[in-house]
Amino acid sequence: MIQTIAGDLHIANDVLADMVGNAALECYGVVGMSAPSAADGIAKLLPASRLRRGVTVASTDAGVHVDLYVIIEYGTNIATVSQNLVEQVSFALNEYARVPIDGIDVHVQGVKVRK
């Protein structure tokens, strides 16, 4: 027996940022997340426990707008990795959180050789 209860569901932007950060790290070619402001032109790789700092989520009238700040693996095609990243993040937001997406911007902060 399914019972429908009236009400609204609100998901905090920090929760969405965690979901986006985890989805981004699963994407091939992404070494890690970076802080949005690369001081002195040097991007610092954030530890896995601080993924939220590499993602900004803003609520708009059309949905949520996501900015990703990533470091890409050396030798991979940046355009292809970025496109895969957008698809992975949009799938995670649509499938798990069911929030409308206004846009996803990928900011490549650096390129690094994976060890």
Side-chain angles (χ1 to χ4, degrees), residues 38-108:
D40 300 328
I42 299 172
K44 291 179 88 176
L45 188 64
L46 295 173
S49 62
R50 302 187 67 186
L51 293 179
R52 190 181 296 174
R53 286 194 56 212
V55 179
T56 58
V57 178
S59 298
T60 64
D61 292 335
V64 294
H65 185 84
V66 178
D67 286 304
L68 293 165
Y69 298 88
V70 295
I71 297 176
I72 302 291
E73 182 177 0
Y74 178 78
T76 58
N77 186 317
I78 293 175
T80 303
V81 172
S82 298
Q83 183 62 38
N84 290 341
L85 188 55
V86 168
E87 291 172 4
Q88 183 92 2
V89 167
S90 62
F91 176 80
L93 289 176
N94 283 327
E95 193 67 26
Y96 303 130
R98 302 216 184 259
V99 295
I101 300 172
D102 182 30
I104 299 172
D105 293 331
V106 177
H107 306 273
V108 178

Side-chain angles (χ1 to χ4, degrees), residues 29-40:
V30 175
V31 175
M33 307 300 286
S34 173
S37 62
D40 300 328

